[in-house]
Amino acid sequence: GSGFIIDEKGIVITNNHVIQDAEDIIVRVNGDKEYKAKVIGSDPLSDIAVLSLDTKDKFKPVKFGDSDKARIGDWVIAIGNPFGLGGTVTSGIISARNRSIGLTRYEDYIQTDASINSGNSGGPLFDMNGDVIGINTAILGRSGSIGIGFSIPSNSAKIVIDQLIEFGETKRGWLGVRIQDVTKEIADVEQLDEPRGALVASVAENSPSDKAGVKAGDIILEFNGQKIEEMKELPIIVAKTEVGKLVDVKIWRNKREIIKKIKLGRLET
């Protein structure tokens, strides 16, 4: 796999699937020097791992850019170790934003046509300023690159990375509801103006939602001031919100909007 250094002390970011179940981790820097590395923290749900190099050497770190500013059509450069060919650079454009392909729970990938192959996992996706706007994670079609690769956006990655460095684990917000898509039929029956939000299928006992009085059949329209257009947006927004925070949740029930105040719990991995 690949990775990149974000701190001169030798803190390395890569994918969780690159280092999962590894007995030894060796990081080769600049194609020549090798260092032993240990895991500071890893998170399978977002497929991110933070390592630290076992050395007193100083490194040149890269810095994160703002992935929210990345637009479709922007040029990007991927650097990594495809098929074990270290230090390979490929270029392309951003093909799409906010993609989910069903690999992990929290997916909001940047899609790019820069060639990403086996071994690129964990490497950086740079914008034209040389800032990292994504972590290259997945390819469609394991046979190799077909011009469709996926990167975790730096803004969501940073939240996970900061938590892994600080606590050695992630602390994600938790509502305690099972949700499903609001179809046109459901919207019609509930007299909602259009299919939007997330339909609550069931509520976990003693969960934050249960204590706040959320019921099965409610449609969550807004969470903490953010509109929920599609169901898949809700878990991502909730997970990014800090544990213990009191949030306003706008719900559609009995053909009208109501607000519930929910104190977020912590998602246990």
Side-chain angles (χ1 to χ4, degrees), residues 185-244:
E185 292 73 30
I186 291 168
D188 289 347
V189 168
E190 297 296 333
Q191 290 178 24
L192 186 60
D193 53 357
E194 56 178 350
R196 60 191 172 99
L199 176 69
V200 176
S202 65
V203 181
E205 213 175 314
N206 284 328
S207 66
S209 294
D210 189 23
K211 289 173 184 159
V214 177
K215 295 190 171 81
D218 287 349
I219 296 173
I220 296 174
L221 301 177
E222 250 180 57
F223 177 87
N224 199 19
Q226 285 185 275
K227 282 190 167 57
I228 308 297
E229 297 297 340
E230 291 181 62
M231 172 199 79
K232 64 177 188 185
E233 296 168 7
L234 183 64
I236 295 172
I237 294 170
V238 173
K240 283 182 186 169
T241 311
E242 68 216 59
V243 176

Side-chain angles (χ1 to χ4, degrees), residues 77-95:
I77 284 178
I79 299 184
N81 183 35
F83 308 117
L85 303 164
T88 295
V89 179
T90 54
S91 74
I93 57 170
I94 293 176
S95 316

